[in-house]
Amino acid sequence: MNVKDSLQLMCRKSIIFGNFEEAEQCLFEILDLTVKYNRLQVMTNEEPEYPSPLWYKS
């Protein structure tokens, strides 16, 4: 499973969290995958999902 597939899978599911920390961790994992996916898009000369300076930082 690649980063894009992981992100899509996470976004399609409804998740119920037991506490704030679990929700926070999941959010940051989704954000991390979003950055990695879009950086990969830029590195392979493809279009990112939307413009952001995060995609161009190493």
Side-chain angles (χ1 to χ4, degrees):
M1 182 178 299
N2 64 33
V3 172
K4 183 179 179 183
D5 292 338
S6 297
L7 181 61
Q8 288 176 343
L9 178 63
M10 291 176 76
C11 290
R12 289 184 189 161
K13 292 172 102 179
S14 293
I15 304 171
I16 298 173
F17 301 99
N19 57 51
F20 177 79
E21 288 76 22
E22 289 177 9
E24 181 181 45
Q25 181 180 357
C26 184
L27 172 64
F28 284 116
E29 287 174 9
I30 291 170
L31 293 174
D32 183 56
L33 288 173
T34 299
V35 171
K36 288 177 180 175
Y37 171 73
N38 284 289
R39 283 183 179 171
L40 178 63
Q41 290 294 96
V42 169
M43 286 174 45
T44 58
N45 295 319
E46 300 204 24
E47 289 291 317
E49 295 174 305
Y50 53 89
S52 172
L54 292 173
W55 316 155
Y56 301 99
K57 291 183 178 180
S58 55

